[in-house]
Amino acid sequence: MRVKAITRSTDEFTRERSQDLQRVFRNFDPNLRPQEKAVEYVRALNAAKLEKIFARPFVGAMDGHIDAVSCMAKNPNHLKGVFSGSMDGDVRLWDLATRRTVCQFPGHQGAVRGLTVSTDGRILVSCGTDCTLRLWKVPGDTLMESDDGSGNSSQPLAVYVWKNAFWGVDHQWDGDLFATAGAQVDIWNHNRSQPVNSFEWGNDTVTSVRFNPGEPNLLATSASDRSINIYDLRMSTPARKVIMRTKTNSIAWNPMEPMNFTAANDDGKCYSYDVRKLNEAKCVHKDHVSSVMDIDYSPTGREFVTGSYDRTVRIFQYNGGHSREIYHTKRMQRVFCVKFSCDASYIISGSDDTNLRLWKAKASEQLGVVLPRERKKHEYLEAVKNRYKHLAEVKRIVRHRHLPKPIYKATKQVREMTESERRRAERRKAHSAPGSIQNEPLRTSRIIKEIE
């Protein structure tokens, strides 16, 4: 009798470490699993519930300012450094890892309204209502690493006094120019004490300015006359202008699709536009119940974060009508500025209660080292949940958020008002001559006119 020995590699069944689980071999033939969909549905349901259980978005607060935080800026060359300016003129550099002040920049006599960092990450530009523009040298990485939390002070490299107060500042993504917003739009160079160019369209105050990430010579501004303006530095006159029904507080360009930008509006909504077609919004993002004060895109361009007067921070998909996440605490007051971190993992918010708060971009994300097996499990559960996200039970659990009572009541009131307006429009159309009244979508109804 001839005996055959079954040969197999020891690498396939031997554990690498004593803590490893024994490898299990499975037969993935679908005929052997008639209940596969039912099992996966239960897994999706459990994954949605576990996500709610482990949702702990708040990381920590950074306190040190003695007045409301009015603006923030990221350093493109340093992942964990963020600048903040407050209403009392204090400018600080924070280390997000230790949540401590690294350096202070004293000098402003009024509220700091704008902060921006140069392309190379070496120069910080600050401006405010004291009509001064200050340039500061950003501390190097060695100071960030060796700081003991004492908060060293820095002296400005240059101070430019101007005739009007400043309301915002932004630096080119690739270049040496930066723009300030105030009574007009002024274009400055690091080495000159006077603007190299100025733009003016009407007599109203310009409240925010943002350079385009793809085209260095293109910038968008919002003004107190409810307008959004597009300027081109290569032209002597402004390019385009769109007037809305309510004022725009801030603008953010999509870094991955530089032809699109999103405007944070006073009516509690955000409007995404294509700069080539300003007579209609691409998408209307609604959930806030009060003015949206600031907006910032994620470096991935897939989502953006907003801060509102209703004391909440919300995260929207770039093409989603409703927010996927809402962050709030009992002590947080009106949110004036928000930023995504440079790696899209965290969100920083600055509010009226003098605090900066650090949040996770994904509420249930596991911080620290994630083993390969854990990462595979997270990816599988996310895929299963995404597969069954349209089913009623999974959808209800994923969408549910606990809201503060004032926000809940205000949301209900807004919903009732919207429904009442819709019914009124339907009745008016039903009792009018056929074709005399046309339904106007929200994407165009909030726009008064476009000027070229």
Side-chain angles (χ1 to χ4, degrees), residues 110-127:
V112 180
R113 284 294 180 177
L115 290 173
T116 187
V117 184
S118 61
T119 312
D120 56 7
R122 296 179 180 176
I123 303 294
L124 169 70
V125 182
S126 65
C127 65

Side-chain angles (χ1 to χ4, degrees), residues 64-81:
H65 287 294
I66 58 174
D67 208 340
V69 181
S70 56
C71 55
M72 287 193 297
K74 295 180 287 189
N75 190 339
N77 276 16
H78 203 282
L79 189 62
K80 58 179 184 175

Side-chain angles (χ1 to χ4, degrees), residues 44 80 121 132 171 176 194 197 203 215 240 244 248 259 271 277 300 327 336 354 372 378 382 396 401 410 437 449:
K80 58 179 184 175
T132 62
H171 202 283
D176 296 328
Q194 295 290 324
N197 202 352
N203 298 320
E215 177 54 64
R240 302 177 77 183
M244 301 189 67
T248 297
M259 75 290 291
Y271 299 87
K277 187 184 179 184
T300 61
Y327 294 156
F336 289 141
T354 75
H378 292 329
E382 190 66 31
R396 181 182 62 82
R401 295 290 183 276
I437 295 180
K449 63 178 177 178

Side-chain angles (χ1 to χ4, degrees), residues 262-311:
T262 304
N265 208 271
D266 251 356
D267 62 356
K269 300 180 181 66
C270 297
Y271 299 87
S272 291
Y273 289 95
D274 189 325
V275 75
R276 301 163 295 186
K277 187 184 179 184
L278 290 175
N279 60 350
E280 180 182 354
K282 287 185 66 178
C283 186
V284 180
H285 315 272
K286 48 190 177 183
D287 264 343
H288 283 294
V289 295
S290 190
S291 299
V292 185
M293 303 304 295
D294 197 17
I295 182 172
D296 187 46
Y297 260 96
S298 163
T300 61
R302 298 293 93 184
E303 53 191 22
F304 60 86
V305 60
T306 59
S308 172
Y309 217 69
D310 62 10
R311 309 194 297 270

Side-chain angles (χ1 to χ4, degrees), residues 11 13 27 35 53 175 220 240 357 371 432 450:
D11 297 336
F13 63 91
N27 187 343
Q35 299 293 323
I53 292 172
R240 302 177 77 183
R357 287 178 172 83
L371 297 175
S432 302
E450 181 189 5

Side-chain angles (χ1 to χ4, degrees), residues 45 48 388-400:
L45 207 57
Y388 294 94
K389 65 181 179 182
H390 301 295
L391 296 181
E393 280 190 321
V394 178
K395 187 177 182 180
R396 181 182 62 82
I397 295 170
V398 169
R399 287 182 57 186
H400 178 72

Side-chain angles (χ1 to χ4, degrees), residues 77-324:
N77 276 16
H78 203 282
L79 189 62
K80 58 179 184 175
V82 64
F83 299 91
S84 66
S86 69
M87 293 298 228
D88 64 339
D90 186 23
V91 179
R92 290 173 180 250
L93 170 60
W94 300 86
D95 185 357
L96 294 182
T98 59
R99 299 200 290 278
R100 290 182 178 179
T101 300
V102 173
C103 186
Q104 288 183 263
F105 305 91
H108 281 284
Q109 301 301 315
V112 180
R113 284 294 180 177
L115 290 173
T116 187
V117 184
S118 61
T119 312
D120 56 7
R122 296 179 180 176
I123 303 294
L124 169 70
V125 182
S126 65
C127 65
T129 55
D130 57 354
C131 305
T132 62
L133 192 69
R134 296 173 185 264
L135 273 61
W136 313 82
K137 185 178 184 301
V138 176
D141 293 351
T142 53
L143 179 60
M144 294 285 287
E145 297 296 335
S146 62
D147 181 61
D148 57 356
S150 58
N152 302 289
S153 296
S154 178
Q155 296 300 319
L157 298 174
V159 180
Y160 304 144
V161 181
W162 196 231
K163 54 190 176 183
N164 299 310
F166 295 106
W167 287 89
V169 64
D170 193 44
H171 202 283
Q172 273 184 324
W173 286 60
D174 187 14
D176 296 328
L177 301 177
F178 60 92
T180 57
Q184 59 189 11
V185 178
D186 296 314
I187 311 300
W188 303 73
N189 192 305
H190 289 188
N191 303 317
R192 295 185 60 175
S193 60
Q194 295 290 324
V196 296
N197 202 352
S198 294
F199 293 98
E200 194 171 359
W201 198 342
N203 298 320
D204 291 274
T205 304
V206 181
T207 54
S208 70
V209 57
R210 287 289 181 275
F211 270 100
N212 188 293
E215 177 54 64
N217 293 310
L218 202 66
L219 60 105
T221 66
S222 63
S224 57
D225 63 348
R226 311 188 305 271
S227 66
I228 299 172
N229 306 317
I230 306 295
Y231 296 94
D232 194 332
L233 303 186
R234 296 163 294 189
M235 299 171 62
S236 58
T237 57
R240 302 177 77 183
K241 181 177 188 178
V242 58
I243 300 175
M244 301 189 67
R245 295 191 182 276
T246 45
K247 186 166 72 80
T248 297
N249 294 313
S250 184
I251 291 174
W253 293 91
N254 190 330
M256 292 292 112
E257 298 173 357
M259 75 290 291
N260 299 331
F261 68 88
T262 304
N265 208 271
D266 251 356
D267 62 356
K269 300 180 181 66
C270 297
Y271 299 87
S272 291
Y273 289 95
D274 189 325
V275 75
R276 301 163 295 186
K277 187 184 179 184
L278 290 175
N279 60 350
E280 180 182 354
K282 287 185 66 178
C283 186
V284 180
H285 315 272
K286 48 190 177 183
D287 264 343
H288 283 294
V289 295
S290 190
S291 299
V292 185
M293 303 304 295
D294 197 17
I295 182 172
D296 187 46
Y297 260 96
S298 163
T300 61
R302 298 293 93 184
E303 53 191 22
F304 60 86
V305 60
T306 59
S308 172
Y309 217 69
D310 62 10
R311 309 194 297 270
T312 61
V313 174
R314 288 184 184 265
I315 305 174
F316 291 85
Q317 299 289 342
Y318 78 105
N319 57 356
H322 294 277
S323 61
R324 74 160 176 84

